[in-house]
Amino acid sequence: MTLKSMKFEFRSLGPITNATLELGDFTIISGRNNTGKTFIAYALYGFMKKFNSVMLSNSMDEFFDRIFQDAVSMSAGELGAQVIRDGHIGWATDASDLAEQQLRLIQFVSHEFSKSELHKVFAMPSAAFENASIVADFKIGFRDDVNVFSELSEGKELHLSYGGNNVSLELAESSLESEEETEDDFEEWIEITDEDVNRLYSYLLARGIFESQFIPVIFSSARHTIPLFINELDYVRGQWVRSLMERRREDRSDDSPKSRRPPEDISNYALPIHDNIDFFRRIPHRAEWINIKPRKDFSADVEKMLGGRFSSEKGKLRFTASGQDQPSFDIPLFLASSSAWEMSSLYFFLEYFTYENRRHFLIIDEPESHLDTANQIQLARLLARLVNTGIKVLITTHSDYIVKEINNLIMLSSDLEDKEQISREFGYRDGDFLNPHMVKAYIAEKGTLNLHEPDDFGLNMPVFDDTINSINRASIKLATRIAHKQEEKMENED
């Protein structure tokens, strides 16, 4: 399958009343404080992360039964029974039929996610998001040679195939088949559940969108504090486990939900923050076994920006200054500067979590936090390089420097006569460009998102330009008044 486009509509989501977002290869959401940027970033991540689990949940059984009733006038259970009886079943279909079913599936998953999972993404009671929703619309190209299977029991598999004009479900012998099995006893013990049929058909329609094509990764605005408090967080987690074990020992017969509830003073975190904490916990384990680092050149860019490198030694994260522009030192990460905390998550992601055969959807909330203006510009270039390798990127930002540099990278994609000379002059490298069609830019304001399409000159982002123009006008007016006053003083002295 090929994911051609991803659109989302958000309703009653925090400050967002109603907004539509189409993701690009590089998506930028800007706007003033408290306009809903983080709400959208969190909701997107949660939807991508939970998509497959919602699609394969029991709540989808009724949906798939309707799909099969429309296609072959059978339920999933009836399909399974006929496959057991006859060994196979098939029906005619085509890409347009599958596209219609796919749209119905994605909309149903959107509804189920909004109803049962969206409030959990924000670690809030369901009542707080009672009217909130996210509705997805994906366009996916279908391959004509899909063939997937699931293991039913020892020696037997259920296969699903799509050949461009028909779908077929059939039983097949497994390569692990035991010699004692015979065709006579085949029907006596084999079982095909609704879940078996639904799981395979969901794969045909949409499964794997955020599992094999785009793996969602988010770095929340709270990421820079996690290295400072990770030890305390782990201590609290250990206390929770010990407390839970003590409760169970006190009364092993009490297995009620109340007995399994964590202590009241344990804080809940929004899913992105929870996953960021988990990300830092996993780094030492990844560092121990990984020996292929295909994106080392990108993590080296972070080293250059910060004048040092990060490492994991004996389960502890460290920062080592290079000694080029400052004295060399090696310290625990929690003692490093806020800019080091800020960039450590991106560094470790590039160093240990990216592979050539996997694609990621990287969401960064306010990537400019704790970075000086020069490093904000370098970060914009690094993100463009990642986009040009196939990683999709979404950022929420207040940084005029990042947006201005993105404009430069868009202009750099034009066919300029002296492009090589300009690149050398300003330190641009291969991959430091962005074609306008790769970029989608939005301003969050007044409860919605306003799309600002880039052109050959980049992005027109009035949320920055108006503020900059206003402060420049004030500066000019104040400087003019001071100069006029000084002139009057000089005249009076004369």
Side-chain angles (χ1 to χ4, degrees), residues 227-281:
L228 182 61
F229 297 111
I230 189 68
N231 291 336
E232 285 78 7
L233 291 168
D234 284 339
Y235 172 78
V236 171
R237 183 174 66 164
Q239 290 291 89
W240 171 26
V241 172
R242 283 189 288 274
S243 174
L244 188 59
M245 292 175 66
E246 285 295 328
R247 290 182 183 180
R248 297 297 294 273
R249 277 196 291 267
E250 289 173 5
D251 187 357
R252 292 183 179 275
S253 64
D254 183 11
D255 194 31
S256 65
K258 183 178 180 180
S259 73
R260 297 191 299 269
R261 192 173 58 198
E264 295 296 334
D265 57 350
I266 297 292
S267 298
N268 287 326
Y269 300 103
L271 179 65
I273 298 175
H274 173 277
D275 286 358
N276 285 174
I277 296 170
D278 228 29
F279 173 85
F280 275 94
R281 287 190 179 121

Side-chain angles (χ1 to χ4, degrees), residues 157-171:
E157 298 169 348
L158 179 64
H159 282 243
L160 178 143
S161 60
Y162 167 63
N165 56 15
N166 72 288
V167 169
S168 177
L169 272 172
E170 61 181 341
L171 287 170

